[in-house]
Amino acid sequence: MSTATAKLLHGEPLSLDDRAEVDSLVVGARTVGARVDLISKGDDPQHVHVIVEGFACRYKLLPGGQRAIVGLFVPGDVCDVHVGLLGVMDHAIGTITECLVKRIPHQEIEALMVKRPPIRRALSWSTLVDEGILRQWLTVNGRLRSDERIAHLFCEIHARLTAVDRAGRDGFQLPLTQEDLADMLGMSAVHVNRVLQVLRSREIVTQQDRWLRFPDRERTVAFAQFDPDYLHMKPRAGGAA
Amino acid sequence: MSTATAKLLHGEPLSLDDRAEVDSLVVGARTVGARVDLISKGDDPQHVHVIVEGFACRYKLLPGGQRAIVGLFVPGDVCDVHVGLLGVMDHAIGTITECLVKRIPHQEIEALMVKRPPIRRALSWSTLVDEGILRQWLTVNGRLRSDERIAHLFCEIHARLTAVDRAGRDGFQLPLTQEDLADMLGMSAVHVNRVLQVLRSREIVTQQDRWLRFPDRERTVAFAQFDPDYLHMKPRAGGAA
DNA sequence: CGGTTAATTGAGACCACTCAACGGCTGTGG
DNA sequence: CCACAGCCGTTGAGTGGTCTCAATTAACCG
């Protein structure tokens, strides 16, 4: 079962047949280097992108040169299912790490959605979840303390990676720089650095090599006020153990 | 032509026939008082809501009792076209002013989308725009100064009201309290108050009665770094003059 | 080993918050 | 008509959070 299938199963039960269909979509993915745009602002994209492996993000650049990251893609995520309706992109999508990416013509996706209603529902579910994540980021960035914000983001990434079986029980490999984190959280990189030190000293998280761990996951979740309901995951029989 | 039709025309040309169909959807809207929930957190909603008149918002309440407003509805806006796919609401939708609201069973919307592809495209366009607005709020709230943030929000509201012919050339009636603004902008109400005073003293905006005006719209737009591309409006012949 | 990117540190300034109090307007009931 | 309550806007004082700029150390790559 592909990563994309694993993710979609959290939203909609899919028959073995449907799963095979989704799996076949992502064969022949190509490798894209780190820090490369998949879609640039101003493009009129004709392809849906599936991130099979690696981390990518949506971002906006402001006139002042500042960057805001307004979305994170982890393995299994699908970018812009309904692309092609809007015309010109008002932001860009770029890789963070090296990624395995499959480009799919949007007509192909639309044909599939017509042919296979469960897949249509699964894809629509995933866009609704994306919207929910956006709302949660807005909430968290606007109303939580900066230490809680960082911890909340880590909890979210952990939950999303767990859904596609890319995380350990108490941590995951974090490929984001402190500057990436800052641009997601609306903070300065320097402040991210200092707050991270506090989180480590309080053992809310630990960091070794590239792994971020929660010594006490319950405690971190409570600290971050993390409630995963906004991810709308229905743990399914047949999913990852 | 109804307000909802006026809004949708900015995304997709609709035949007179399609317009009539949309118009007929919103007959029999009911009046809802100010500060009333249309949908509460935890509900499993079966209806799409159309705000025919008035202001409403999406909001989240945090454990600490703080509120975050994560979306604003103005006349013509449709809430949750794809409702019913997600199950339980992770946030609430409530009125700000007294509103005229039409509730539409989601099956009816789905049937209409099947029967009338242009209407399906128009509604899908509107959900994509909602997502674009969310991304813009995240960007602005994370990376602009507080005075720019407030000005940006005013520019957005003006643009959206203009699309449904509810604004004057240089201003509009603003029914939001400073606390509402604060919860949209991720600021404290006290700070909104003080920054507003600065904006008024610099004549970025003026406020009299309940009207908010831009003495020099170009200047305010530049000050706010407001670029309406994220609203994806294609001004159409046949729309408001 | 040199070059580059990322993480860390310090200092100082300013932004934005909280708490608390006060003023103004409006609708209601006596 | 007036008194009152309640909501909203405004103000002051003081604190803490967060930023910027710049310099330093550490980690990584070829």
Side-chain angles (χ1 to χ4, degrees):
Chain A
M1 181 174 66
S2 78
T3 311
T5 321
K7 154 120 196 232
L8 294 179
L9 282 175
H10 284 269
E12 177 80 19
L14 294 178
S15 66
L16 290 176
D17 224 30
D18 288 331
R19 296 185 202 189
E21 193 84 49
V22 175
D23 288 346
S24 74
L25 270 187
V26 298
V27 300
R30 71 204 163 94
T31 300
V32 177
R35 310 289 167 185
V36 171
D37 271 6
L38 298 175
I39 306 176
S40 300
K41 178 173 155 79
D43 284 1
D44 181 359
Q46 298 302 314
H47 296 268
V48 173
H49 289 74
V50 180
I51 307 297
V52 179
E53 213 57 64
F55 278 49
C57 68
R58 286 182 203 277
Y59 67 93
K60 287 194 172 214
L61 294 176
L62 285 98
Q66 313 134 85
R67 179 180 65 156
I69 292 181
V70 294
L72 177 68
F73 298 113
V74 301
D77 282 337
V78 181
C79 319
D80 297 313
V81 171
H82 299 98
V83 81
L85 261 178
L86 266 194
V88 170
M89 287 286 285
D90 60 7
H91 63 279
I93 296 180
T95 60
I96 291 175
T97 63
E98 180 176 282
C99 286
L100 249 184
V101 180
K102 182 61 195 286
R103 286 161 44 114
I104 303 168
H106 75 89
Q107 294 92 340
E108 203 173 310
I109 293 285
E110 274 150 34
L112 186 61
M113 291 200 294
V114 169
K115 193 174 70 172
R116 304 264 188 168
I119 295 179
R120 181 183 56 71
R121 280 194 298 275
L123 288 173
S124 296
W125 165 83
S126 88
T127 70
L128 290 179
V129 170
D130 290 348
E131 233 185 277
I133 292 173
L134 226 30
R135 282 192 289 266
Q136 187 69 12
W137 282 25
L138 194 58
T139 303
V140 165
N141 290 358
R143 284 286 174 251
L144 261 46
R145 293 197 318 261
S146 58
D147 50 357
E148 297 168 335
R149 302 223 294 268
I150 295 183
H152 191 282
L153 178 58
F154 289 156
C155 289
E156 177 186 308
I157 295 173
H158 185 248
R160 290 171 64 184
L161 290 178
T162 299
V164 290
D165 210 20
R166 288 294 188 290
R169 224 181 63 66
D170 66 343
F172 57 93
Q173 193 172 347
L174 179 75
L176 305 175
T177 66
Q178 293 180 354
E179 195 170 340
D180 292 330
L181 293 171
D183 289 341
M184 288 180 205
L185 295 162
M187 306 169 37
S188 72
V190 171
H191 197 231
V192 167
N193 180 287
R194 291 196 236 257
V195 174
L196 269 177
Q197 294 178 46
V198 174
L199 290 180
R200 288 192 295 246
S201 76
R202 297 180 55 185
E203 295 193 319
I204 306 285
V205 301
T206 64
Q207 287 185 284
Q208 296 163 40
D209 308 306
R210 297 220 138 267
W211 277 75
L212 185 127
R213 288 181 197 281
F214 310 125
D216 180 345
R217 193 162 43 139
E218 303 262 322
R219 188 162 141 264
T220 304
V221 163
F223 176 82
Q225 302 179 39
F226 177 71
D227 176 348
D229 63 355
Y230 71 96
L231 295 173
H232 293 276
M233 306 227 177
K234 318 163 191 163
R236 315 227 91 260
Chain B
M1 182 174 64
S2 78
T3 311
T5 321
K7 155 122 195 231
L8 293 179
L9 282 175
H10 284 269
E12 176 80 19
L14 294 179
S15 67
L16 291 177
D17 224 31
D18 287 332
R19 297 185 201 188
E21 193 85 48
V22 174
D23 288 346
S24 74
L25 271 186
V26 298
V27 299
R30 71 204 164 94
T31 300
V32 178
R35 311 287 167 185
V36 171
D37 271 5
L38 298 175
I39 306 176
S40 301
K41 177 172 155 80
D43 285 0
D44 182 1
Q46 297 302 314
H47 296 268
V48 173
H49 289 74
V50 180
I51 307 297
V52 178
E53 213 56 65
F55 278 48
C57 67
R58 285 182 205 277
Y59 67 94
K60 288 196 172 213
L61 295 176
L62 286 97
Q66 313 134 84
R67 179 179 65 156
I69 293 181
V70 293
L72 177 68
F73 298 113
V74 300
D77 282 337
V78 181
C79 319
D80 297 313
V81 171
H82 299 98
V83 81
L85 262 177
L86 266 195
V88 171
M89 288 285 286
D90 60 6
H91 63 278
I93 296 180
T95 61
I96 291 176
T97 63
E98 180 176 282
C99 285
L100 249 184
V101 180
K102 182 61 195 286
R103 285 162 44 114
I104 303 169
H106 75 89
Q107 294 91 343
E108 203 173 309
I109 293 285
E110 274 151 34
L112 187 61
M113 291 199 294
V114 169
K115 192 173 72 171
R116 303 265 187 168
I119 295 180
R120 179 182 57 70
R121 280 194 299 274
L123 288 173
S124 296
W125 165 82
S126 88
T127 70
L128 290 179
V129 170
D130 290 348
E131 235 185 276
I133 292 173
L134 225 31
R135 282 192 288 266
Q136 187 69 12
W137 283 25
L138 194 58
T139 302
V140 166
N141 289 359
R143 285 285 173 251
L144 260 48
R145 294 197 318 260
S146 58
D147 51 356
E148 297 168 335
R149 302 222 295 266
I150 295 184
H152 191 282
L153 178 58
F154 289 156
C155 289
E156 177 186 307
I157 294 174
H158 185 249
R160 290 171 64 184
L161 290 178
T162 299
V164 290
D165 210 21
R166 289 293 188 290
R169 223 182 64 65
D170 66 343
F172 57 93
Q173 194 172 347
L174 180 74
L176 305 175
T177 66
Q178 293 180 354
E179 195 171 340
D180 292 329
L181 293 171
D183 289 341
M184 287 179 204
L185 296 162
M187 305 168 38
S188 73
V190 170
H191 197 231
V192 167
N193 180 287
R194 289 196 236 257
V195 174
L196 268 179
Q197 293 178 45
V198 175
L199 291 179
R200 288 192 295 247
S201 76
R202 297 179 56 184
E203 295 193 318
I204 305 286
V205 301
T206 64
Q207 288 185 284
Q208 296 164 39
D209 309 306
R210 297 219 138 266
W211 277 76
L212 186 129
R213 287 180 198 283
F214 310 125
D216 180 345
R217 192 161 44 137
E218 303 262 322
R219 191 162 138 263
T220 304
V221 163
F223 176 82
Q225 303 178 39
F226 177 70
D227 176 349
D229 62 354
Y230 71 97
L231 296 172
H232 293 277
M233 305 228 176
K234 317 164 192 164
R236 313 227 92 259

